[in-house]
Amino acid sequence: SVVRGLSLDGCRARCVETGGCDGIFFSAWSHGPNSSCYGKKDFHMGHCQPVQPGDVSEVLRSEMPWGDCAVVGALLVFSWDRVLGPAITPPGPGDYWLIRSASLNAMARTGYTQRYPNLASATGVAISGPVVGGHRLIVEYVGPAQGYAGFRATWDSVPILTTFPSTYTSPDAALEARLDNMDPSQYHREARHTIGGSSG
C-alpha cells in the first residue's frame, strides 16, 4: 500500500517501524504536491523500473538486495548495475570475466554457433570461489549434438546432470542443479525471448 504526504525522512521512518519492510520507493512528484511512500520487501534489482527526478529507492535493512544478471542469446550481457540496459556486447568469441572477486569468480565462454554463425553466443560458464565452498562448476558446449545434449556440466571435474531430466545436489549442499524444461517466467526478462525458438 501507499502512504501519501510524507517527507523522505518520514517515509524511511515509517518503513523502519513496520515489520517486514526492507526498503522504500519514495516519489515526491507522483501525485502533484502529495508525495508517495511505498514500503518494499525483498528488493530485486532486476525488477527495478526507470525513475523520474525526485524518486528514491533505498534498501534500509543490512541485507543486500537480490541482483539479476544475464548472459543471453547472441551475446548480450546485462550486469547488476545495468539492469535496464543497454546491454554490454563483448566483441567476439573468447573467455570473459563476469565476476572477479576474492569470494566469487565467474567466467563466460563465447563462440559462434549454427544458429548465430556471425555473432558470438554464450557457449559456457565457469564458477568458483569461497561462495561456492571452494568448488568449481563448469557448464560448456562440447558438441556435436544441438541443444542441451551438446552441453556438459561438471562439479569439481565430475560429470553431473548427464540425463534429461535430472537433478544434482552436491554432498555438502553447496550446489543444487537441475536439467529440465524451463519456465521462462522464472528467468531474467531479457533471457525469456531466447528460450526455445529455432534450433541451433
Side-chain angles (χ1 to χ4, degrees):
S1 67
V2 61
V3 177
R4 300 203 191 284
L6 295 176
S7 67
L8 177 57
D9 285 338
C11 184
R12 289 178 183 130
R14 178 68 62 97
C15 178
V16 168
E17 67 191 30
T18 303
C21 184
D22 294 331
I24 61 165
F25 173 76
F26 175 81
S27 178
W29 318 109
S30 58
H31 295 281
N34 295 322
S35 65
S36 297
C37 172
Y38 298 86
K40 303 294 282 180
K41 181 180 174 105
D42 296 328
F43 267 76
H44 287 259
M45 301 306 289
H47 299 169
C48 291
Q49 300 297 314
V51 297
Q52 302 297 319
D55 292 349
V56 175
S57 285
E58 286 185 9
V59 178
L60 301 174
R61 306 290 184 201
S62 61
E63 294 84 13
M64 294 295 293
W66 289 94
D68 288 346
C69 67
V71 179
V72 300
L75 198 60
L76 301 173
V77 177
F78 295 87
S79 63
W80 284 283
D81 58 346
R82 297 170 65 129
V83 294
L84 298 171
I88 301 164
T89 305
D95 294 331
Y96 297 93
W97 284 106
L98 299 174
I99 303 169
R100 191 172 188 179
S101 73
S103 58
L104 183 65
N105 292 302
M107 292 191 81
R109 173 164 289 165
T110 65
Y112 298 121
T113 64
Q114 182 180 346
R115 186 173 181 185
Y116 296 109
N118 299 314
L119 297 170
S121 297
T123 58
V125 64
I127 299 170
S128 65
V131 167
V132 292
H135 299 287
R136 183 174 57 233
L137 172 67
I138 298 175
V139 179
E140 61 184 332
Y141 180 74
V142 295
Q146 297 294 310
Y148 71 85
F151 281 83
R152 176 182 61 200
T154 61
W155 181 247
D156 292 335
S157 303
V158 175
I160 61 172
L161 306 174
T162 57
T163 60
F164 184 88
S166 61
T167 60
Y168 173 80
T169 300
S170 64
D172 62 358
L175 175 71
E176 292 183 9
R178 178 173 52 107
L179 173 61
D180 204 345
N181 291 317
M182 300 169 70
D183 176 357
S185 67
Q186 295 179 354
Y187 298 91
H188 193 283
R189 68 180 179 275
E190 297 297 335
R192 292 177 194 157
H193 71 278
T194 67
I195 298 172
S198 62
S199 64

